[in-house]
């Protein structure tokens, strides 16, 4: 029986969707524990490509039950669109998808306020999906939850109370026109009719499943460096993508987690603003973006690209408790003559002992690099570790040694089949 948390180890988009799809063959339940439709998890099976935002990537395996925990913020419109998309491709969600009573709902004003906040000068570069404003309301104890959909009176009174405040804010602070409360109430009553059948007591369900010996894979969204506590604050998301979030985001206690699995891209990317020590603003960075097709799965924005940062990964391993990892997108490095790996940071003439996650200090560090020879061979068809070029093996053992984790999956292309299991 295994209860595994799968986490993004860098700034998101490490290839979590692909690896969840691979691993979920051996799990009975896949559960999301934080974030919302800001995530974009890509899975390629044969010539079909799926991008999932809210529904766990395990939905593409017929025998897997998928769960959305209380830590996730749910945009009902995005959820219903995703269900429809999946059903259109022959993946049935009814009876296989369950949503926690306690998950918070993204409301139209969350998305509007998110985009209005981003129109100013101090931009985070959010996905515009209403994530931050929804979590603000959750912790301000004003949020509207899935459970509220079940009682019309409560739903209506909560929406009215929120709208009174939000309309005031929209008018006075943002000089924006007010939203129509009756339209929103009507829209959410319609959502309720379609969503009711998916609602479940998730903590009870998951804990009973564990007791019955079932295996659970927690699918993290975003990545450790976007964590609101441990990430490059304030350039972070508003949830807890790190492994601890799996407990608070589902109701499964820490004593039941059996392992933490990290997803690690063979280089580094970031979307949105914030410090990025190994970022490449030259031809190498352009090549990583081009060869890795590094464009956001949710917003289509070009991703910022840079060399692998082992110093960052050591920090990520520490705060997540990562033991084993999947290295993804290794094929993208195949054309480089030389590949650099950051092994430490220098700040004010001194080598840092620990990772400075605060944005100001991190923006001032100079990366210390080790240069390794490239392999200059296409590896996307390789399926056995022994068949990899010696330089590729050396690159893998160098990063695994530097970061202190064991590699158990190597991904050499976006497709399910382009995977080496160790
Ligand atoms: P996630 O958010 O962590 O699930 O990652 P995304 O789906 O946002 O981004 C990863 C992108 O890389 C997707 O387009 C995947 O199809 C693709 N991908 C995943 N693994 C590999 C790989 O090993 N090689 C290549 N070339 N592409 C990959
Ligand atoms: P997956 O799960 C990469 C980034 C945004 C922005 C910051 C805050 O696909 O890896 P938000 O909309 O969450 O308030 O934006 O976080 N961000 C992601 N970057 N992958 C993601 O998800 C992301 N989700 C949010 O670009 O910098
Ligand atoms: Mg993504």
């Amino acid at each position: 029986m295994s209860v595994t948390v799968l986490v993004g180890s860098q700034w998101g988009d490490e290839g979590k969707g692909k690896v969840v799809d691979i691993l979920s063959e051996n799990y009975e339940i896949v559960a999301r524990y934080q974030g919302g439709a800001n995530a974009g998890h890509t899975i390629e099976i044969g010539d079909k490509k799926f991008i999932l935002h809210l529904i766990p990537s395990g939905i593409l395996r017929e025998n897997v039950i998928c769960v959305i925990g209380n830590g996730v913020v749910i945009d009902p419109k995005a959820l219903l669109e995703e269900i429809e998309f999946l059903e259109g491709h022959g993946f049935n969600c009814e009876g296989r998808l369950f949503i926690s009573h306690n998950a918070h709902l993204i409301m139209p004003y969350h998305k509007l306020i998110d985009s209005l906040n981003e129109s100013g000068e101090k931009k985070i570069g959010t996905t515009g999906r209403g994530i931050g404003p929804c979590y603000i309301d959750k912790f301000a104890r004003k949020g509207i939850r899935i459970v509220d959909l079940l009682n019309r009176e409560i739903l209506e009174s909560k929406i009215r109370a929120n709208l009174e405040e939000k309309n005031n804010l929209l008018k006075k602070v943002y000089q924006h026109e007010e939203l129509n409360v009756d339209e929103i109430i009507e829209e959410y009553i319609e959502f309720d009719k379609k969503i009711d059948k998916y609602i479940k007591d998730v903590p009870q369900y998951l804990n009973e499943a564990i007791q019955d010996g079932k295996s659970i894979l927690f699918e993290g969204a975003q990545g450790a460096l976007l964590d609101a506590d441990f990430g490059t604050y304030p350039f972070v998301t508003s949830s807890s993508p790190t492994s601890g979030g799996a407990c608070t985001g589902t109701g499964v206690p820490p004593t039941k987690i059996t392992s933490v699995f990290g997803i690690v891209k063979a280089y580094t990317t970031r979307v949105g603003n914030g410090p990025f020590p190994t970022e490449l603003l030259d031809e190498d960075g352009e090549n990583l973006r081009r060869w890795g097709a590094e464009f956001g799965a949710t917003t289509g924005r070009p991703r910022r690209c840079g060399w692998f940062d082992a110093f960052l990964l050591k920090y990520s391993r520490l705060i997540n408790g990562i033991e084993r990892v999947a290295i993804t997108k290794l094929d993208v490095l195949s054309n480089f003559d030389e590949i650099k790996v950051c092994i430490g940071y220098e700040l004010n003439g001194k080598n840092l002992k620990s990772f400075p996650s605060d944005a100001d200090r991190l923006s001032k560090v100079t990366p210390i690099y080790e240069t390794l020879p490239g392999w200059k061979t296409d590896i996307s068809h390789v399926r056995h570790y022994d068949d990899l070029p010696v330089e590729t093996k050396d690159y893998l053992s160098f990063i695994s040694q530097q970061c202190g984790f064991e590699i158990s999956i190597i991904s050499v292309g976006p497709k399910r089949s382009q995977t080496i299991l160790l």
Side-chain angles (χ1 to χ4, degrees), residues 265 267 286-295 303 305 329 331-332:
K265 200 180 273 192
Y267 48 96
E286 270 301 318
N287 284 336
L288 281 173
R289 188 173 308 113
R290 201 150 47 93
W291 295 332
E294 293 294 356
F295 295 88
R303 294 174 182 150
C305 298
K329 305 196 86 159
D331 54 301
V332 176

Side-chain angles (χ1 to χ4, degrees), residues 215-267:
S215 52
I216 304 178
L217 181 64
F218 291 106
E219 175 176 353
Q222 289 79 54
L225 275 297
L226 287 171
D227 187 284
D229 288 283
F230 303 108
T232 49
Y233 192 88
F235 300 100
V236 293
T237 190
S238 303
S239 69
S240 305
T242 43
S243 54
C247 296
T248 52
T250 61
V252 168
T255 46
K256 300 287 186 237
I257 307 287
T258 57
S259 66
V260 180
F261 192 85
I263 311 302
V264 178
K265 200 180 273 192
Y267 48 96

Side-chain angles (χ1 to χ4, degrees), residues 88-109:
H89 285 84
F91 297 97
N92 194 29
C93 294
E94 204 174 333
R96 288 187 55 215
L97 173 68
F98 299 118
I99 301 169
S100 171
H101 285 98
N102 294 344
H104 280 245
L105 287 164
I106 299 235
M107 305 298 290
Y109 44 81

Side-chain angles (χ1 to χ4, degrees), residues 12-13 16 39-42 297-298 303:
D13 302 327
K16 296 177 291 294
H41 295 181
T42 316
T298 296
R303 294 174 182 150

Side-chain angles (χ1 to χ4, degrees), residues 27-73:
Y27 284 84
E28 285 151 293
I29 299 169
V30 178
R32 276 276 307 267
Y33 59 86
Q34 47 68 235
N38 50 349
H41 295 181
T42 316
I43 301 114
E44 285 193 30
I45 307 167
D47 56 4
K48 284 202 180 135
K49 181 169 168 173
F50 301 88
I51 300 177
L52 299 173
H53 303 284
L54 268 168
I55 297 179
S57 304
I59 201 78
L60 303 179
R61 299 264 182 197
E62 265 177 26
N63 299 325
V64 171
I65 299 286
C66 289
V67 173
I68 299 180
N70 56 281
V72 176
V73 285

Side-chain angles (χ1 to χ4, degrees), residues 81-93:
E81 279 170 10
E82 208 158 300
I83 291 173
E84 204 178 309
F85 165 79
L86 284 164
E87 295 194 336
H89 285 84
F91 297 97
N92 194 29
C93 294

